Amino acid sequence: MSVVRVLVVEDSLTVRGHIVEVLSATPGFEVVGEAGDGKTGIELCARLRPDVVTMDMMLPVMTGLAATEYIMAYCPTPILIVSASTNRGELFKTYDALAAGAVDVLDKPLGTEPDDAWGRRLVAALRIVAKIRVITHPRAKLGGLASQNRVAPTPLPSSLPRVVGIGASTGGPGAVLSILRALPADFPAPLLLVIHISEPFGLALAEWLDSQCPLPVRYARDGEALPGLGQASVLMAPPEFHLELQGVRLSLGRGPERHSCRPSVDVLFESLARSSGPEALACLLTGMGRDGAAGMLLVKDAGGLTVAQDERTSVVFGMPGAAVSLGAARHVLPLDEIGPFLLQTCQRPAKGRAGTR
């Protein structure tokens, strides 16, 4: 069995000692270095070339965000953020680090967890993160990557999409941000968004996205009406709540998890197929697992448009790959082409309705 070599970057001696203790006691893991500040973390990463880095956000000398950006630019390595992130500023830095290429995030141990529950979560997260392929400068390089999975475009339907659903998981914050930044403030169709992220870290994600792109972004409210065409907005599923479109209204619920996820992309897409049919557009982005693939197939079968992110630009091709395997994706596009595709599709004149926007 191959050994996962870990670099631990954490300024708290107590937390760093706990991480090292957990990993040292776990077969298949080796702690190859420890750093108490971001600058030392960068130097050790370049010299030791670990398989994975655990990265705190609030570090002396150089912050975890700055260290993440440097590592992803010059010695790309899978990074698991391990952060307390209890206030808005720390949460925003965490989202910035995820957008810069960090793979996932785990909350720091509180000391009140039963037995070794936190240690098991740490080990499970590191096993996954260490296997993920990362690329240099993900935000700068994606535009130059050619698609390996492109599906030939199919004719666009005659009706304009009246709602766009977007689902993402691992690598999702950065991918969603890339798409939303490509859409103008007057984008005509409302967007419904599901991103898998644990509750402590999802609390301010809508606010962060809102601060980063032209479109207004907020969490959806149970029972509110779906905005009409021409009322640009992005409505996001809150942490631990499924988001559905029921007729012309949004519904939030704490029903059973789907694919171990709540919110679930499948739940959203299935509701779009029922409520909007050929006027729905479902977009499935990078993420681990299969959530969203079956729901996307229902949207396609109902006559709606479907687009999946391609393998080359996905941090993890699990979710979009499952959709491609099912034949659910009418279009498979690199990340930098998805935003322009949404804009072209939703703003074009519909057949028989020339001049309609």
Side-chain angles (χ1 to χ4, degrees):
M1 180 176 66
S2 60
V3 174
V4 178
R5 302 170 66 254
V6 185
L7 169 63
V8 179
V9 185
E10 166 63 59
D11 67 326
S12 166
L13 290 174
T14 300
V15 175
R16 189 163 82 235
H18 187 38
I19 294 173
V20 171
E21 180 182 15
V22 168
L23 297 180
S24 298
T26 303
F29 282 86
E30 177 188 1
V31 176
V32 296
E34 303 176 38
D37 63 81
K39 183 175 182 294
T40 303
I42 288 172
E43 293 168 353
L44 290 178
C45 186
R47 177 162 59 86
L48 300 173
R49 294 293 180 173
D51 298 314
V52 63
V53 177
T54 71
M55 180 72 71
D56 185 20
M57 283 290 94
M58 307 305 290
L59 294 169
V61 185
M62 180 181 285
T63 68
L65 171 59
T68 296
E69 291 176 333
Y70 189 96
I71 287 171
M72 296 312 298
Y74 297 102
C75 51
T77 307
I79 294 174
L80 174 69
I81 300 168
V82 181
S83 176
S85 293
T86 56
N87 62 55
R88 180 178 177 275
E90 291 182 36
L91 285 170
F92 273 37
K93 287 184 174 62
T94 297
Y95 305 144
D96 287 337
L98 289 170
V103 175
D104 208 350
V105 59
L106 179 71
D107 54 310
K108 284 187 178 181
L110 299 174
T112 58
E113 296 87 354
D115 300 325
D116 58 346
W118 185 84
R120 290 196 300 270
R121 289 200 294 131
L122 171 68
V123 168
L126 285 174
R127 288 191 195 281
I128 293 170
V129 170
K131 295 177 182 178
I132 291 175
R133 167 189 58 83
V134 293
I135 60 176
T136 304
H137 267 318
R139 287 178 293 184
K141 296 281 282 186
L142 286 177
L145 295 174
S147 172
Q148 293 180 325
N149 306 95
R150 184 184 301 278
V151 171
T154 56
L156 296 174
S158 59
S159 57
L160 286 168
R162 75 180 185 97
V163 61
V164 176
I166 299 177
S169 186
T170 312
V176 168
L177 180 59
S178 175
I179 291 172
L180 295 184
R181 280 179 168 167
L183 302 179
D186 61 352
F187 183 77
L191 297 98
L192 304 181
L193 174 61
V194 168
I195 300 181
H196 298 160
I197 189 168
S198 58
E199 187 167 12
F201 296 98
L203 298 177
L205 184 53
E207 186 182 357
W208 176 75
L209 287 170
D210 181 73
S211 72
Q212 299 287 318
C213 67
L215 286 165
V217 183
R218 63 173 173 83
Y219 287 115
R221 296 187 290 265
D222 186 43
E224 72 173 301
L226 178 73
L229 290 174
Q231 300 174 3
S233 60
V234 181
L235 303 178
M236 184 175 171
E240 295 300 321
F241 282 89
H242 292 307
L243 173 62
E244 296 183 74
L245 177 62
Q246 297 182 350
V248 297
R249 295 198 172 272
L250 302 180
S251 172
L252 299 178
R254 294 180 65 90
E257 294 180 347
R258 297 279 293 276
H259 305 287
S260 302
C261 300
R262 188 175 59 225
S264 163
V265 184
D266 264 335
V267 169
L268 172 62
F269 285 179
E270 289 168 8
S271 75
L272 297 185
R274 290 192 305 267
S275 296
S276 298
E279 295 184 315
L281 193 161
C283 177
L284 192 57
L285 306 177
T286 174
M288 193 166 297
R290 302 183 58 84
D291 189 29
M296 176 175 272
L297 182 60
L298 291 178
V299 173
K300 181 185 176 186
D301 289 345
L305 278 172
T306 55
V307 57
Q309 184 177 351
D310 73 347
E311 182 173 9
R312 189 87 179 269
T313 63
S314 294
V315 174
V316 181
F317 193 53
M319 287 163 45
V324 171
S325 296
L326 281 178
R330 293 183 185 272
H331 305 263
V332 180
L333 300 174
L335 180 60
D336 68 303
E337 293 185 22
I338 294 177
F341 173 82
L342 298 183
L343 184 60
Q344 173 200 0
T345 302
C346 293
Q347 286 194 333
R348 66 185 176 80
K351 183 178 179 181
R353 288 167 28 191
T356 301
R357 302 295 287 181

